[in-house]
Amino acid sequence: MGNVQLAARVWVPLAEHGESPVWVPQTGQLKFVDMSAGNILTIDSAGTLVERRNVGPVAAAFRARVDGGLVVAVKRGFAMLSAGDELTVLPELWSDRRCA
């Protein structure tokens, strides 16, 4: 079989279901969601967890706002996270409970 190399874990898992990675060049940090935990995680360039911010039961994705902060896709719509870390959950876009 020759030289077989196995994959190795680089660091301890930080998320149950990590999605939507976004590199923030201004801070040298990577942000991503832990979808099923409803968190937005921030790690530094060394892979160290800097922040875990909960936004509700689900955090599907996010994008930066022009004035700072984030627009976050949550379970049934959107939430706004200000540059000062204030969370405002907007009214639900749908209420059909058959849609998880």
Side-chain angles (χ1 to χ4, degrees):
M1 287 191 131
N3 292 332
V4 176
Q5 295 191 9
L6 301 176
R9 183 181 296 171
V10 178
W11 68 74
V12 180
L14 299 174
E16 181 180 325
H17 186 140
E19 291 277 350
S20 189
V22 175
W23 178 253
V24 183
Q26 298 87 343
T27 61
Q29 296 175 327
L30 180 70
K31 290 183 173 287
F32 60 99
V33 298
D34 185 352
M35 183 181 285
S36 54
N39 293 323
I40 298 174
L41 288 80
T42 304
I43 61 173
D44 63 18
S45 60
T48 304
L49 180 64
V50 174
E51 180 182 29
R52 181 183 304 265
R53 176 63 161 92
N54 186 268
V55 295
V58 172
F62 65 92
R63 286 296 173 249
R65 295 171 55 185
V66 172
D67 60 349
L70 304 171
V71 175
V72 185
V74 294
K75 187 168 185 172
R76 298 191 182 280
F78 294 93
M80 307 296 271
L81 190 58
S82 73
D85 201 41
E86 181 180 336
L87 182 68
T88 304
V89 179
L90 302 177
E92 287 185 355
L93 294 177
W94 63 92
S95 60
D96 187 342
R97 299 298 182 214
R98 294 175 296 170
C99 301

